[in-house]
Amino acid sequence: MTDIPILELRNVSKRYALGNMVVAALENVSFSIAHGEFVTIMGSSGSGKSTVLQILGSLDSPTEGQYLVEGRDLTRASENQLANLRNKHFGFVFQSYHLLPELNALENVSLPLVYANTARREALERASEALERVGLSHRKRHYARQLSGGEQQRVAIARAVVHNPAVLFGDEPTGNLAGDGRNKILEYFEQFHAEGSTIVLVSHDLEVGARATRRIYLKDGHLEPHENTLEAFSFASPSS
């Protein structure tokens, strides 16, 4: 395992224009994530945790500071370079599943490979294997409307891992789930971590945080000093 972090933020700030005002979502945030870590970024609503994930996933760029992937500064990378990074090396799981309703589960899972110009037959074969990994081989011809919320999220996870990404990101991936469905999703993240994937989840949920090997806390756009100490942190809001 290399000593160079797979992901690193150096003095990152992010500001947005809101009418005549400038809103600071992040202020001078620095941390790194090693290869193979399972990290949860935690905080209440408005803490900046989703903004951090957007930057780590190259879906947004910092206003100030540096963002590095395996030591390479991507702060001024072109959109084509960032798209290539996302398509080849990152996988994303969001709270709301984002499945295309006109495609069945198998076709939804194959999309990252299709976008990477993989031959259709190979893309569908690999999508089928990914669905088998999340226990949904028997549902691959079903559409989103025919699946439960937990099943839709498992399809979304299969889609996120179908191209074997180096980093798997999750933005409140259990936010719409409860009970067994929620626990099952967390078990899949633990499984992928055990297989060597780097996992980065954003959550306000203390149980999600407890599954990680390290926790990073944000409050009002700043890092909190309670890293990895779940009991030391409380949230003012029950939602993200």
Side-chain angles (χ1 to χ4, degrees), residues 217-230:
Y217 299 99
L218 290 169
K219 183 177 181 181
D220 299 329
H222 295 82
L223 284 180
E224 283 284 278
H226 305 301
E227 183 171 313
N228 215 38
T229 309
L230 197 64

Side-chain angles (χ1 to χ4, degrees), residues 124-136:
L124 292 176
E125 287 176 353
R126 290 171 62 181
S128 183
E129 292 169 359
L131 282 169
E132 185 174 357
R133 292 185 73 187
V134 297
L136 284 179

Side-chain angles (χ1 to χ4, degrees), residues 29-126:
V29 170
S30 297
F31 64 83
S32 61
I33 295 173
H35 288 258
E37 275 200 285
F38 185 164
V39 175
T40 302
I41 300 169
M42 307 194 72
S44 59
S45 179
S47 63
K49 59 188 186 298
S50 289
T51 302
V52 163
L53 189 79
Q54 294 278 316
I55 293 173
L56 289 174
S58 75
L59 297 169
D60 201 353
S61 57
T63 306
E64 296 174 4
Q66 294 176 290
Y67 170 45
L68 297 88
V69 176
E70 295 188 321
R72 179 187 174 196
D73 187 354
L74 296 181
T75 308
R76 293 177 176 81
S78 70
E79 182 51 44
N80 284 341
Q81 290 172 319
L82 295 177
N84 185 62
L85 175 71
R86 291 191 297 268
N87 292 340
K88 291 186 176 179
H89 302 293
F90 293 166
F92 298 90
V93 182
F94 298 100
Q95 180 174 346
S96 299
Y97 322 137
H98 296 318
L99 301 183
L100 298 183
E102 67 273 17
L103 302 181
N104 62 34
L106 184 66
E107 292 165 334
N108 266 286
V109 173
S110 73
L111 283 176
L113 300 175
V114 172
Y115 294 150
N117 297 317
T118 305
R120 176 175 171 78
R121 180 175 179 178
E122 180 185 349
L124 292 176
E125 287 176 353
R126 290 171 62 181

Side-chain angles (χ1 to χ4, degrees), residues 13-35:
S13 296
K14 181 65 180 182
R15 301 184 182 90
Y16 297 98
L18 187 63
N20 294 325
M21 299 175 57
V22 175
V23 177
L26 297 174
E27 284 288 355
N28 200 34
V29 170
S30 297
F31 64 83
S32 61
I33 295 173
H35 288 258

